Amino acid sequence: QVQLVESGGGLVQAGGSLRLSCAASGRTFSTVVTGWARQAPGKEREFVAAIAWSADTTYYADSVKGRFTIPTDNAKRMIYLQMNSLKPEDTAVYYCMASTTGVVYRVRAYEYWGQGTQVTVSS
């Protein structure tokens, strides 16, 4: 099992920045891809960003490319979501997720999830 705990959500004005953190514990060596998804009210959960550990390759949804990055701290088993130039449409609950299968963009394939953290961007 892998446990994921997010933190760092909050309220920010449009154009501002926010950094989310995800602490991983348990059988983290089994995870191949770790990333972030989000779910806005009335919408399906969607892929935001991920990192494939073996290739050290990052992936981003088109809607966040150029604004969000996914820094990591392997020693601390932490991944982050650095969100810059935030827009009201970025408002959502953000989830940390991990996969043992190597799937990147299909959020339903991720086996492990955090509890989520709310991000609200005011206009």
Side-chain angles (χ1 to χ4, degrees), residues 91-120:
T91 295
V93 177
Y94 283 72
Y95 297 90
C96 184
M97 57 186 184
S99 168
T100 63
T101 65
V103 171
V104 174
Y105 292 105
R106 191 157 49 95
V107 294
R108 292 177 184 268
Y110 284 76
E111 301 108 308
Y112 303 106
W113 292 86
Q115 81 285 357
T117 184
Q118 176 71 45
V119 172
T120 303

Side-chain angles (χ1 to χ4, degrees), residues 18-101:
L18 207 57
R19 184 177 173 106
L20 305 182
S21 301
C22 174
S25 61
R27 298 171 62 88
T28 57
F29 60 86
S30 66
T31 58
V32 177
V33 179
T34 307
W36 296 89
R38 67 186 181 187
Q39 187 165 19
K43 295 188 176 181
E44 289 193 358
R45 195 169 296 189
E46 64 175 3
F47 173 85
V48 174
I51 179 167
W53 296 106
S54 61
D56 196 23
T57 302
T58 53
Y59 303 85
Y60 298 96
D62 289 342
S63 59
V64 307
K65 205 170 291 184
R67 300 188 298 123
F68 291 11
T69 59
I70 187 167
T72 64
D73 185 333
N74 293 339
K76 295 182 180 179
R77 297 185 179 179
M78 297 284 294
I79 71 165
Y80 306 91
L81 186 66
Q82 178 64 44
M83 304 184 291
N84 300 326
S85 302
L86 282 161
K87 305 176 181 179
E89 50 264 44
D90 294 318
T91 295
V93 177
Y94 283 72
Y95 297 90
C96 184
M97 57 186 184
S99 168
T100 63
T101 65

